[in-house]
DNA sequence: CGAACGTTTGAGATGACTCAAGCGTTGTGG
DNA sequence: CCACAACGCTTGAGTCATCTCAAACGTTCG
């Protein structure tokens, strides 16, 4: 299913991977840790947008580190409706959980054109055996994804449509800022309103009205794939967003 | 916060723990694995119903293994509304994720009177250093919780109220059956309709109507804390429930 | 130029919520 | 032993948020 489109040079992707791994908060990866991970990479690929790279139930023997672009994980219902269960930004170890689990309960796909590094499970096994400290850090990173799942449950279960979208835009701002892809609460989010609907558990039409409403309330503007948060404090408060669960050390609301 | 009410004898709780650890699917715990875990238990407690045992943000140096009763994890909003993000049955390592994470993003509480075994993080550190194979199994068990989070996201994000409740009742049947607490699709679920509402992202009043509807459709009856699924196949189909994500080996729909 | 796609708007239907009240059971204190 | 408070369950009526169906618009791409 993976389509090999083009390659970065070895030098380029190593720099990318290192930059993102360096920027991960919550766990402190040492230079040695980062070297072990980048040395474990067996190949680097560039994938077109809208490509499903892992199907639910498919046995896997490698995990995917996202270097550039956006990816998602989703569950489809029988009528074709889709629920996104995760949204991934550069620096994320998208399906590291396939290492202990072997097969996943959902699909993994690119949302945009994306560059990924593949890490064989055999290399992760070696890390697990030899480096218990690094293993615990990798374990942590899969649990961070679980913490994000929980925030999404709160979002979909307890917030109204406008607050749900606001909450997601706040979360994405913090995550992108941690890897240098958001500045001044402004970032590129090249996904469709239909994607946003599948993230927030709403219909695309309603998302459109919600985005309009956020603009009219001068909280934030989302147009042409660019998010501009005009009133960050106000948006966080409105969305009941507290970034604690992202384990970002320099917490913007502290 | 933990209140020491009474104790099982050492013999009793060892048998309980062993039984549940033995029944966990997805990972195969050897007798040696189970012995290592039960030997790591520092104390066993009985807690009253409706007791919050961990607050969000509180540093932890032990994890909780649930031996008897039901527990939950939840996130509260500013208006007092609560979203449950996890429901735990006997045999679950309720907050094992606090081992790599140190502090949690949510509260942990008992729903009913419950018996728990506490495992110090220092003992888990020793397992992490000495037993990479068992570490991977424990890692898996935290990822199983994440898989359940994802199923809940699908449930709340894409299903209508009646199907949401049906989906939860199917999931709970499979989980309880795996530890011998459901037989013939009939089990004890001593929680309130308000709890069910906080699980499904609905209001208690609407839950009441939904439960009535499930009864009238002769799919299942939930009364006096007892769930009886009359038409398991039909209920699964109606709820779009596929137990694959629970990694139960003897899959009832296979 | 036309097809495909994403966005935008309108109008009506419906699922779930809110407010309000009654019922049954349990536990407790007079 | 009874009265009553507390709690959970149940039902009704009206409101509101979100969905559905339908259609138009703009942009991009071939």
């Amino acid at each position: 299913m993976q389509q090999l489109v083009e390659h970065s040079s070895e030098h380029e992707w190593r720099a990318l991977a290192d930059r993102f791994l360096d920027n991960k908060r919550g766990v402190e990866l040492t230079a040695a840790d980062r070297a072990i991970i980048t040395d474990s990479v067996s190949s680097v690929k560039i994938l077109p947008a809208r490509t499903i790279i892992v199907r639910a139930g498919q046995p896997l023997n490698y995990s995917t580190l996202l270097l550039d672009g956006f990816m998602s994980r989703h569950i489809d219902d029988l009528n074709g409706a889709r629920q996104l269960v995760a949204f991934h930004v550069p620096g994320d170890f998208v399906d590291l959980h396939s290492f202990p689990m072997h097969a996943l309960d959902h699909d993994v796909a690119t949302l945009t054109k994306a560059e990924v590094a593949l890490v064989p499970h055999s290399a992760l096994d070696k890390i697990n055996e030899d480096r218990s400290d690094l293993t615990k850090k990798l374990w942590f990173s899969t649990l961070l994804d679980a913490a994000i799942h929980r925030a999404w449950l709160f979002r979909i279960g307890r917030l109204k449509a406008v607050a749900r979208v606001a909450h997601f835009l706040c979360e994405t701002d913090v995550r992108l800022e941690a890897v240098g892809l958001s500045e001044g609460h402004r970032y590129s989010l090249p996904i469709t309103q239909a994607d946003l609907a599948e993230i927030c558990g709403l219909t695309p039409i309603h998302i459109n009205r919600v985005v309009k409403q956020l603009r009219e309330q001068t909280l934030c503007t989302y147009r042409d794939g660019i998010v501009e948060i005009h009133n960050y404090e106000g948006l966080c408060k409105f969305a009941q967003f507290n970034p604690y669960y992202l384990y970002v050390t320099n917490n913007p609301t502290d």
Side-chain angles (χ1 to χ4, degrees), chain A:
Chain A
M1 197 56 75
Q2 292 94 14
Q3 293 167 45
L4 188 57
V5 178
E6 51 180 288
H7 261 222
S8 298
S9 73
E10 168 101 6
H11 178 73
E12 274 179 294
W13 72 256
R14 273 192 174 268
L16 256 179
D18 220 52
R19 167 168 155 238
F20 288 124
L21 290 169
D22 189 34
N23 270 291
K24 294 305 283 181
R25 313 294 168 84
V27 287
E28 302 288 333
L29 288 182
T30 65
D33 290 338
R34 298 199 302 277
I36 288 173
I37 294 171
T38 49
D39 286 347
S40 299
V41 170
S42 66
S43 71
V44 171
K45 296 181 177 180
I46 292 189
L47 307 165
R50 310 285 161 184
T51 311
I52 293 182
I53 66 161
V54 179
R55 292 275 182 190
Q58 166 191 337
L60 282 179
N61 52 24
Y62 59 86
S63 287
T64 305
L65 181 60
L66 179 57
L67 301 177
D68 192 35
F70 295 102
M71 293 182 68
S72 67
R73 299 190 268 145
H74 65 257
I75 297 173
D76 289 331
D77 84 354
L78 298 173
N79 313 315
R82 175 170 293 183
Q83 178 63 45
L84 258 65
V85 295
F87 174 76
H88 286 291
V89 306
D92 285 355
F93 224 137
V94 173
D95 57 357
L96 179 55
H97 56 307
S98 70
F99 167 55
M101 303 200 104
H102 303 115
L104 303 182
D105 47 290
H106 56 267
D107 296 347
V108 180
T110 59
L111 286 168
T112 64
K113 180 178 170 186
E115 181 167 18
V116 298
L118 303 187
V119 178
H121 286 173
S122 55
L124 296 173
D125 261 321
K126 190 153 164 38
I127 291 172
N128 182 43
E129 278 158 32
D130 301 345
R131 295 289 309 274
S132 62
D133 53 335
L134 180 52
T135 299
K136 197 173 170 184
K137 293 174 187 177
L138 292 177
W139 187 352
F140 173 91
S141 91
T142 61
L143 296 181
L144 191 53
D145 282 341
I148 295 175
H149 288 334
R150 291 189 285 272
W152 286 36
L153 278 168
F154 169 74
R155 175 194 298 156
I156 299 182
R158 285 295 166 232
L159 299 182
K160 299 222 177 282
V162 192
R164 282 187 213 176
V165 175
H167 191 279
F168 174 72
L169 296 178
C170 287
E171 172 185 285
T172 304
D173 182 52
V174 173
R175 292 175 69 190
L176 288 177
E177 194 181 32
V179 290
L181 294 175
S182 175
E183 264 196 67
H185 305 304
R186 183 178 190 283
Y187 56 92
S188 169
L189 186 69
I191 64 176
T192 65
Q193 292 185 355
D195 294 326
L196 208 42
E198 290 170 352
I199 287 168
C200 295
L202 297 165
T203 57
I205 292 171
H206 202 60
I207 284 286
N208 183 277
R209 292 172 201 196
V210 158
V211 166
K212 183 181 178 185
Q213 211 173 317
L214 285 170
R215 204 184 309 128
E216 286 169 355
Q217 290 179 243
T218 66
L219 283 169
C220 73
T221 304
Y222 174 44
R223 205 189 324 245
D224 300 328
I226 304 287
V227 175
E228 290 184 85
I229 301 176
H230 306 119
N231 177 357
Y232 181 69
E233 303 287 317
L235 195 66
C236 288
K237 194 173 172 191
F238 176 74
Q240 299 200 37
F241 174 74
N242 179 336
Y244 179 77
Y245 69 93
L246 295 170
Y247 290 75
V248 170
T249 43
N250 52 351
N251 186 326
T253 65
D254 278 351

